[in-house]
Amino acid sequence: MRESRVLPIVPVSFFGMVLGLCGLGGSWRAAHHIWGVPSFIGEAVMATGALVWAVLLLLYVLKWGLARPAAIAELGHPVQSGFVGLAGVATLLVSIGAAPYARDVAVVLLLAGAAFTVGFGIWRTGDLWRGERDPAAATPVMYLPLVAGSFVTGTACGVLGFRDWGQLAFGAGLFSWLAMESVLLNRFQHGAALAPAQRPTLGIQLAPPVVGAVTNLSLTNGGPDMFARALLGYGLLQLLLIARLLPWILRQPLSPAYWAFTFGLTALATATLQLVGRGETGALALLAPFLLALATGVVTLASAHSFWQLLRGRLLPKPA
């Protein structure tokens, strides 16, 4: 097709870049409020995430108009289809970024992002319930439509003052996560090993507990509580397990797939910093600067690698 030679065919999974950038922007916003670091760091990273979101959203819409077979194939893929939910999640994160500056715009983005997230999550999960799926297609990408979508919807609702709706979204995300976790752990322990190209998706495994902790903190007041600490404790356990498997995961060369690690790491840093802001003085207060440094380093590495690949013309996958 002539159109496909002109239009960059960008995988929908690239919306994960927005999650990492906006997530890191949120971490540095929290660091500004707690430690007084310059506010422009978090705002600049958040603005970069919003710019990447705008470009990817335009390209994704054009993909449906000018390269529809590629978009349909992606939507019907047993694994890649889960990434479609990131379009809504990324929009919700941009609404959080816009909230301090343009509340009306942020609310519109919240409504659009939540509508897409809920609609797509219900549609895709309904397909999963029909069964007849290859167990090898079960990867942490399963979390994205309902778990990530519900948690980030709850966070955006909390930031914009719709806590009653946010609590409903938190419940949807929490119990969807617990149900899917058991399915995935059974698949990891008793099924075939993940193919090398799928191993970076294990970075998503860190996200549910720590993104849930951010949502919980956005919907509650008061000092640190045991539930928030428990969510972060499970997140830290996932981080250690991923570190244990990192040599095995890195058999897949660096690629945009490794953005899968960024959202969980930034959420871990953000939730920990928010607890410090509520008076946390124990173990998490000690870990907070190291977690912020880790999240910043990983997002910086992913950004630098993707930018370098873009300059070399190697960022986008070769047409089939």
Side-chain angles (χ1 to χ4, degrees), residues 83-144:
F83 287 112
V84 175
L86 291 183
V89 177
T91 303
L92 290 164
L93 288 169
V94 174
S95 79
I96 294 171
Y101 303 101
R103 176 179 168 78
D104 291 344
V105 173
V107 170
V108 171
L109 292 172
L110 165 60
L111 293 174
F116 182 88
T117 297
V118 172
F120 177 74
I122 295 299
W123 176 81
R124 185 170 187 272
T125 305
D127 273 356
L128 296 180
W129 282 17
R130 292 176 179 174
E132 298 185 0
R133 283 173 51 85
D134 182 355
T139 73
V141 177
M142 289 175 57
Y143 290 129
L144 297 178

Side-chain angles (χ1 to χ4, degrees), residues 66-84:
L66 301 177
R68 185 177 293 270
I72 292 174
E74 195 172 53
L75 185 63
H77 192 277
V79 176
Q80 295 298 319
S81 59
F83 287 112
V84 175

